[in-house]
Amino acid sequence: MSQEWVSAGSQGAGAGALVSLSSGELPRGDRFDWYVELVRENVAPFSLGSFHAHGFEARVAGVDLGSAQLTHLVFEPLHAARTPRHIRRGDPETYQLALISGSPMITRQHDNEAEISTGSLVFFDTSHPLDTLVPDDRGQGRVTLLRIPRDALPRPPAGSTGSWPGSSSRTV
């Protein structure tokens, strides 16, 4: 098994090919480091911690959709933090829309904190600090993540009262 997440297109499989990986094929002591590296290289740099680091169980399946990627992650309870230092180190400049299908999560970004319940969607920007907790007493995290380049979904500048680029508005 490859310990590196790669674009399906870079392996000759073509866009749209499903890539599936599991920590179960690795020695127990290597599993958490594998998952940390997979997230760092393919989602964004994060600091991850877990009481389950030894023998960490995780599965990842993903498909490259051209400029966007769809990834399904199943993992042990953990804490994930994306700090200003992580952002300076590497920012994929993506929006991420996550469907929570496992344990509820507690997420903080832009001074807003919310418990994201099972079945909910959460939208975040990799260019801003993020703090997420999958509590230890609530079971495995299961997240389906759609990663979209920020430039594919232009938004008005912060504080702007204008309309979306390329749009017009009229009072009738």
Side-chain angles (χ1 to χ4, degrees):
M1 176 191 80
S2 169
Q3 291 189 28
E4 205 172 315
W5 181 262
V6 293
S7 164
S10 71
Q11 291 296 303
L18 179 67
V19 176
S20 181
L21 304 170
S22 171
S23 64
E25 299 175 33
L26 297 169
R28 291 179 61 79
D30 294 343
R31 294 175 182 179
F32 188 66
D33 290 340
W34 167 81
Y35 188 74
V36 169
E37 188 65 24
L38 185 123
V39 168
R40 181 176 296 134
E41 293 296 321
N42 299 286
V43 177
F46 276 88
S47 291
L48 299 176
S50 175
F51 290 118
H52 304 275
H54 183 75
F56 194 80
E57 296 288 334
R59 292 185 310 281
V60 180
V63 63
D64 187 343
L65 302 172
S67 64
Q69 294 80 36
L70 185 64
T71 307
H72 182 70
L73 304 117
V74 179
F75 51 89
E76 298 291 338
L78 56 73
H79 174 248
R82 182 153 166 77
T83 65
R85 182 177 177 206
H86 291 117
I87 294 164
R88 286 189 303 273
R89 189 180 326 156
D91 185 7
E93 298 184 3
T94 60
Y95 294 127
Q96 304 205 12
L97 180 63
L99 171 63
I100 309 306
S101 57
S103 171
M105 299 179 179
I106 300 166
T107 301
R108 182 180 310 125
Q109 190 173 51
H110 298 295
D111 295 324
N112 296 307
E113 182 175 307
E115 182 165 327
I116 313 301
S117 60
T118 303
S120 295
L121 291 170
V122 62
F123 183 78
F124 63 95
D125 183 339
T126 60
S127 297
H128 299 280
L130 173 72
D131 195 57
T132 298
L133 175 68
V134 177
D136 201 48
D137 62 345
R138 299 191 188 175
Q140 285 188 318
R142 292 178 185 270
V143 177
T144 302
L145 189 65
L146 178 63
R147 295 175 298 161
I148 307 160
R150 277 201 331 231
D151 59 4
L153 290 175
R155 294 182 55 187
S160 168
T161 58
S163 56
W164 286 75
S167 68
S168 62
S169 61
R170 292 189 181 162
T171 303
V172 180

